[in-house]
């Protein structure tokens, strides 16, 4: 155990974690690096240049005083994947805090650092990209010293591109990161921190052994689900999985036991022996709390069961995805999915398409609200159509976030205007260093889920970094906006909006639908209503047949008789006719912003 070190790499997005990991793998002769970001093995990760999944890999580092086993976990940097980071941190004793020499400390750097400190990890600060012409290593060093209170000589200067400083990093990991603690003779306790689905071998669970040891052929059971299995294969994670006969305390590895049902493996569960079980489970990670909800529906209704199977397999690989069945009058059967943010939602949609060949429609994203009725009862509502009658509601509370924006002082004005327009309030403003400012806002989550991040990036020319965490619920003046077609509400188009913006939003939705709904042989009234009050209306005019074309003379009463007859027919048709909303109209309304 004295020769094992478990550590992860944490940083803000684009600070060069994966490139630095490549150099570490190369230096320890673990793998021959043939292309950049070897650990990012998903097509999507390579295309977008971001890490989506945490990746574990074992390296052997030899120096004069012995041979060390280093288990490295490379983590994502985007705020939407912070749950992946929390899982990686739970399996480690130390962390490399990587900061870009050209950008300095940014929002996600601070957020991930706090997460690591909560787990009492040993922090090794690294300044990356010092080979860049625009690098400012001295200023960034000052920022790191202010942030974590370390000594200047503890900070390692490195470059993921040239390989400078890699040896110092490996030495620092061996010297500063504590080896895992645990009792090799105690009953087995292993924490599952990730899992993947393999169509040939079933579900593969990744674990870290806290106490005891596990060998091939052992009878094991999962503590929380109570299911028992035989360990067909155990081993360590290199670029591929390498089987071993036995793994001991402190090791990070994988187990294959022919599990086919995704419900039987829960991330955060404990593996123990059937013959000599442990008395309690390891404290896992906190349950994930999704922030953004959206309906996901198959384009072809017969694909509903395939979509369910695809989502279950995807959840194995991405434990922060939650889903429950729901149905809509307009879109048929589908699932209400919970995501950690908009990028997460986009990635899930893309992965369903690529990995499972599923074409899906995603409805407009919204957040969960707490609805209090007049009897004092409270319930959580994820979908506007799930709201009780307006006469029963006492008040509605919406989730608020505490957002931290780090930016150049030149962009303070436009960023403040953006946040105040989104009903935000400024809580704090402090200078981090030089002309870099940290602004803290309280913002309603519902206002930032659509386009806030994109707007923030464009007004700050990409300089502002953004990080947030949930800060409870607050009462808010919200109104349910319904869209009616000929008096019939369309459930998939109803939204919850703030009272001040609801009328404008209703008017814009009506105008958009007027362009997209095809004309019928009768007038179609498109109305936006808040409760029983109509706030906007547009009419799709009917297609008229010229019934008076055959009258080429004679008395005007002949024309009037024919027009009256047509009018009666239209009235009857309107009573029995129904309006089909084309798919195009849904998608256009969702992209209204």
């Amino acid at each position: 155990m004295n020769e094992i070190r478990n550590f992860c790499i944490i940083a803000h997005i684009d600070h060069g974690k994966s490139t630095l990991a490549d150099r570490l793998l190369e230096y320890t002769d673990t793998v021959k690096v043939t292309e950049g970001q070897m650990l990012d093995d998903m097509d999507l990760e390579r295309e977008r240049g971001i890490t989506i999944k945490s990746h574990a890999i074992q390296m052997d580092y030899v120096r004069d005083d012995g041979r060390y086993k280093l288990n490295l976990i490379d983590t994502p940097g985007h705020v939407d994947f912070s749950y992946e980071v929390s899982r990686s941190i739970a399996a480690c004793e130390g962390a490399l805090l990587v900061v870009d020499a050209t950008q300095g400390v940014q929002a996600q750097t601070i957020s991930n650092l706090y997460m690591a400190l909560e787990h009492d990890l040993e922090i090794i600060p690294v300044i990356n990209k010092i080979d860049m012409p625009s690098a400012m290593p001295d200023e960034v060093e000052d920022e790191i010293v202010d942030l974590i209170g370390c000594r200047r000589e503890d900070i390692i200067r490195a470059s993921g591109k040239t390989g400078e400083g890699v040896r110092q990093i490996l030495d620092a990991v061996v010297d500063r990161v504590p080896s895992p603690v645990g009792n090799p003779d105690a009953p087995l306790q292993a924490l599952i921190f990730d899992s993947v689905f393999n169509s040939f071998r079933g579900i593969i669970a990744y674990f870290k052994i806290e106490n005891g040891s596990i060998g091939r052929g052992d009878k094991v059971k999962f503590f929380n689900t109570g299911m028992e299995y035989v360990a067909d294969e155990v081993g360590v994670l290199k670029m591929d999985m390498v089987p071993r006969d036995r793994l001991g305390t402190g090791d990070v590895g994988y187990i294959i036991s022919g599990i086919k049902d995704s419900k039987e493996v829960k991330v955060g569960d404990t593996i123990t022996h059937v013959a000599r079980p442990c008395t309690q489970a390891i404290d896992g990670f906190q349950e994930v709390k999704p922030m953004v909800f959206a309906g996901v529906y198959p384009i072809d209704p017969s694909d509903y069961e395939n979509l369910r199977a695809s989502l279950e397999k995807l959840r194995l690989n991405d434990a922060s995805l939650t889903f429950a069945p729901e149905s809509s009058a307009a879109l048929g059967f589908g699932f209400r999915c919970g995501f950690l943010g908009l990028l997460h939602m986009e990635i899930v949609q893309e992965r369903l398409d690529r990995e499972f060949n599923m074409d899906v429609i995603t409805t407009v994203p919204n957040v969960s609200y707490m609805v209090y009725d007049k009897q004092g009862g409270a319930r959580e509502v994820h979908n506007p159509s799930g709201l009780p009658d307006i006469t029963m509601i006492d008040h509605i509370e919406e989730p608020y976030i505490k957002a931290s924006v780090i930016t150049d002082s030149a962009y303070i004005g436009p960023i403040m205007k953006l946040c105040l327009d989104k009903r935000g309030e400024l809580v704090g403003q402090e200078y981090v260093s030089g002309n870099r400012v940290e602004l803290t806002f309280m913002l309603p989550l519902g206002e930032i889920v659509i386009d806030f991040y994109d707007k923030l990036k464009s007004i700050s020319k990409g300089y502002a970094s953004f990080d947030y965490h949930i800060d409870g619920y607050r009462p808010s003046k919200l109104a349910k906006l319904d869209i009616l077609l000929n008096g019939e509400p369309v459930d998939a188009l109803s939204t919850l909006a703030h009272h001040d913006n609801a009328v404008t939003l209703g008017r814009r939705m009506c105008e958009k639908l007027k362009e997209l709904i095809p004309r019928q042989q009768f007038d179609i009234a498109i109305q936006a209503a808040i409760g029983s009050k109509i706030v906007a209306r547009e009419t799709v005019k009917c297609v008229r047949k010229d019934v008076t074309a055959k009258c080429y003379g004679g008395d005007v009463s002949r024309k009037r008789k024919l027009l009256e007859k047509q009018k009666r027919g239209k009235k009857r048709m309107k009573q029995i006719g129904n309006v089909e909303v084309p798919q195009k109209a849904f998608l256009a309304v969702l992209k209204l912003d």
Side-chain angles (χ1 to χ4, degrees):
M1 276 170 60
N2 296 332
E3 293 170 355
I4 298 175
R5 301 285 186 274
N6 299 321
F7 70 103
C8 58
I9 304 184
I10 54 176
H12 188 82
I13 190 165
D14 272 348
H15 280 205
K17 298 177 293 300
S18 301
T19 312
L20 194 61
D22 282 355
R23 298 290 82 76
L24 295 173
L25 297 178
E26 211 168 44
Y27 193 87
T28 54
D29 291 329
T30 307
V31 66
K32 192 169 173 54
V33 177
T34 50
E35 52 185 326
Q37 283 89 28
M38 291 293 284
L39 293 181
D40 291 352
D41 51 9
M42 223 186 286
D43 293 344
L44 224 79
E45 291 179 317
R46 297 191 168 225
E47 277 170 31
R48 291 174 175 246
I50 56 173
T51 305
I52 295 168
K53 285 287 303 164
S54 299
H55 298 273
I57 190 162
Q58 191 179 88
M59 306 181 289
D60 292 320
Y61 180 48
V62 184
R63 59 179 205 179
D64 302 339
D65 58 348
R67 187 184 186 91
Y68 293 91
K69 267 196 289 188
L70 309 182
N71 290 311
L72 153 73
I73 302 178
D74 178 27
T75 63
H78 196 281
V79 63
D80 279 13
F81 304 111
S82 54
Y83 185 63
E84 286 281 332
V85 182
S86 73
R87 285 160 44 186
S88 308
I89 284 173
C92 293
E93 282 83 34
L96 294 181
L97 180 73
V98 177
V99 181
D100 188 330
T102 62
Q103 303 274 351
V105 170
Q106 289 190 283
Q108 203 59 23
T109 317
I110 299 172
S111 167
N112 287 341
L113 171 71
Y114 288 157
M115 219 187 291
L117 290 174
E118 274 171 31
H119 284 78
D120 292 332
L121 263 60
E122 177 66 36
I123 307 292
I124 301 172
V126 176
I127 298 180
N128 193 19
K129 304 191 187 178
I130 58 160
D131 59 309
M132 300 278 279
S134 56
M136 324 168 285
D138 296 334
E139 290 92 325
V140 176
E141 237 174 47
D142 293 339
E143 287 180 24
I144 294 175
V145 171
D146 287 348
L147 182 65
I148 57 177
C150 63
R151 298 181 319 210
R152 275 183 173 275
E153 51 269 30
D154 290 345
I155 302 171
I156 300 167
R157 295 189 179 190
S159 163
K161 201 174 191 178
T162 63
E164 187 182 337
V166 167
R167 189 191 170 109
Q168 289 94 301
I169 292 173
L170 290 166
D171 285 338
V173 167
V174 171
D175 297 335
R176 295 195 223 165
V177 175
S179 52
V181 290
N183 181 357
D185 303 321
L188 171 68
Q189 270 186 314
L191 174 74
I192 299 177
F193 66 88
D194 204 354
S195 59
V196 291
F197 181 79
N198 182 306
S199 45
F200 301 107
R201 312 205 60 180
I203 292 158
I204 303 167
Y206 297 164
F207 60 79
K208 180 199 174 189
I209 302 176
E210 300 279 344
N211 292 306
S213 65
I214 185 171
R216 191 172 62 210
D218 287 2
K219 285 196 82 171
V220 294
K221 83 166 179 180
F222 288 12
F223 200 90
N224 291 336
T225 56
M227 305 296 283
E228 298 183 3
Y229 309 99
V230 173
D232 296 335
E233 186 183 302
V234 293
V236 294
L237 299 153
K238 299 261 178 160
M239 272 320 272
D240 298 313
M241 295 182 289
V242 183
R244 293 273 191 270
D245 287 336
R246 195 153 205 85
L247 294 175
T249 307
D251 274 328
V252 172
Y254 69 91
I255 177 171
I256 301 176
S257 47
I259 308 168
K260 288 284 186 279
D261 188 354
S262 59
K263 294 186 184 69
E264 293 173 24
V265 178
K266 283 195 166 53
V267 169
D269 202 348
T270 302
I271 305 175
T272 188
H273 280 130
V274 174
R276 189 175 164 225
C278 56
T279 49
Q280 66 183 77
I282 303 165
D283 292 336
F285 342 89
Q286 73 279 22
E287 270 294 300
V288 59
K289 185 133 178 55
M291 295 295 128
V292 175
F293 294 88
V296 172
Y297 293 87
I299 286 180
D300 181 356
S302 61
D303 280 341
Y304 175 73
E305 281 306 323
N306 293 348
L307 180 60
R308 181 198 295 277
S310 304
L311 283 168
E312 279 178 356
K313 285 174 188 169
L314 194 56
R315 186 162 61 182
L316 277 174
N317 201 238
D318 180 358
S320 50
L321 171 69
T322 60
F323 62 91
E326 74 161 3
S327 64
S328 143
L331 299 168
F333 290 102
F335 295 92
R336 186 101 197 132
C337 296
F339 307 97
L340 294 182
L342 277 194
L343 178 70
H344 185 212
M345 174 174 137
E346 205 179 307
I347 294 292
V348 166
Q349 207 174 337
E350 190 85 13
R351 286 184 72 184
L352 280 171
D353 181 28
R354 290 185 183 205
E355 294 172 29
F356 303 101
N357 234 352
M358 293 297 311
D359 278 340
V360 293
I361 293 163
T362 314
T363 64
V364 67
N366 56 24
V367 296
S368 58
Y369 297 92
M370 292 300 287
V371 179
Y372 292 85
D373 56 32
K374 291 185 174 165
Q375 284 75 40
R379 59 189 260 204
E380 198 173 21
V381 173
H382 303 315
N383 198 345
S385 58
L387 275 181
D389 189 64
I390 198 157
T391 53
M392 308 291 291
I393 298 173
D394 180 52
H395 69 282
I396 302 176
E397 291 186 355
E398 66 175 333
Y400 263 71
I401 59 166
K402 192 170 188 178
S404 139
V405 179
I406 297 180
T407 178
D408 197 278
S409 53
Y411 306 111
I412 292 180
I415 287 174
M416 278 193 180
K417 183 179 182 312
L418 172 71
C419 294
L420 297 174
D421 286 350
K422 297 279 187 187
R423 298 191 284 127
E425 56 185 83
L426 182 66
V427 186
Q429 174 181 346
E430 60 175 295
Y431 280 81
V432 184
S433 68
N435 61 348
R436 288 156 62 74
V437 189
E438 182 177 6
L439 303 169
T440 312
F441 290 95
M442 296 299 289
L443 282 158
L445 183 63
E447 291 283 345
I448 72 153
V449 295
I450 302 281
D451 57 353
F452 177 81
Y453 195 65
D454 296 342
K455 282 186 177 169
L456 178 72
K457 281 292 181 196
S458 61
I459 61 175
S460 67
K461 299 189 172 60
Y463 276 110
S465 62
F466 173 67
D467 180 46
Y468 64 88
H469 55 263
I470 283 293
D471 199 73
Y473 286 78
R474 289 191 188 183
S476 194
K477 205 175 172 191
L478 295 166
K480 183 187 176 193
L481 182 70
D482 284 316
I483 299 292
L484 313 174
L485 294 181
N486 276 352
E488 290 296 315
V490 183
D491 66 336
L493 292 176
S494 55
T495 51
L496 268 176
H498 192 261
H499 205 278
D500 300 347
N501 311 336
V503 177
T504 335
L505 180 66
R507 197 169 295 136
R508 282 167 62 203
M509 283 175 89
C510 287
E511 285 166 5
K512 196 77 183 165
L513 284 169
K514 183 184 176 183
E515 295 167 22
L516 294 161
I517 289 178
R519 291 169 73 183
Q520 311 283 340
Q521 291 201 337
F522 51 89
D523 284 356
I524 303 170
I526 305 169
Q527 295 165 308
I530 298 173
S532 54
K533 184 184 173 192
I534 305 291
V535 293
R537 169 177 172 139
E538 294 286 338
T539 309
V540 178
K541 283 299 191 190
C542 60
V543 182
R544 288 181 72 95
K545 180 185 172 189
D546 189 1
V547 287
T548 58
K550 59 187 178 188
C551 302
Y552 47 85
D555 191 48
V556 73
S557 58
R558 285 182 65 200
K559 286 185 181 177
R560 194 168 296 137
K561 185 175 146 192
L562 288 167
L563 288 169
E564 286 298 326
K565 187 178 170 188
Q566 185 188 34
K567 205 175 183 179
R568 285 196 300 276
K570 295 254 184 228
K571 195 174 178 183
R572 191 169 63 249
M573 198 186 287
K574 192 175 180 176
Q575 285 167 357
I576 57 167
N578 65 343
V579 186
E580 291 291 323
V581 183
Q583 199 59 62
K584 198 169 56 174
F586 280 110
L587 299 175
V589 170
L590 305 187
K591 292 186 171 66
L592 209 56
D593 276 307

